[in-house]
Amino acid sequence: QVQLVESGGGLVQPGGSLRLSCAASGSIFSINDVGWYRQAPGKLRESVATSNSAGTTNYADSVKGRFTISRDNAKNTVYLQMNSLKPEDTGVYYCNAVIMTLTAFRGNYWGQGTQVTVSS
């Protein structure tokens, strides 16, 4: 059993910063690709930032230069540092990870989501 738990969301004023965390727990052998996604009200879920096992990162054009994805493999944790936040960054942010378990099962896992609201 593998779980992803996000934290760090909240209400922030435009121009502010937040750091999201995603901690993976359970029968983990290795964590491969990871990513952060968000879903605004009435919109489809979209990719915000991804990182593969080689450390290659990709960002949505709307967040380039403002958001940074990073990972601490020793802690099985993925982070999303969000700076210069804008009202359009508001949404529920989800963590995603491709994880190989100790029983050699490779699965795609999602966290429960954390709300980010950017408003004055």
Side-chain angles (χ1 to χ4, degrees):
Q1 189 78 5
V2 172
Q3 285 187 323
L4 300 181
V5 178
E6 299 107 332
S7 61
L11 173 65
V12 63
Q13 291 186 342
S17 298
L18 283 175
R19 187 193 195 203
L20 304 183
S21 299
C22 172
S25 62
S27 302
I28 299 170
F29 176 75
S30 64
I31 299 177
N32 305 127
D33 299 349
V34 297
W36 286 95
Y37 296 74
R38 69 185 178 193
Q39 187 165 17
K43 295 187 176 181
L44 296 175
R45 189 175 298 186
E46 62 174 352
S47 174
V48 174
T50 61
S51 172
N52 65 18
S53 56
T56 302
T57 57
N58 283 286
Y59 297 92
D61 288 343
S62 59
V63 307
K64 282 181 181 177
R66 300 187 298 122
F67 290 12
T68 302
I69 186 172
S70 62
R71 54 200 295 175
D72 185 333
N73 292 327
K75 295 182 179 180
N76 288 337
T77 301
V78 182
Y79 304 97
L80 184 68
Q81 178 67 44
M82 305 186 294
N83 299 325
S84 302
L85 283 161
K86 304 176 181 180
E88 50 264 42
D89 294 319
T90 294
V92 179
Y93 282 69
Y94 297 91
C95 175
N96 172 262
V98 176
I99 295 174
M100 180 74 76
T101 68
L102 295 174
T103 57
F105 173 77
R106 182 184 173 92
N108 188 22
Y109 297 90
W110 290 89
Q112 82 288 353
T114 184
Q115 176 70 43
V116 172
T117 302
V118 184
S119 175
S120 54

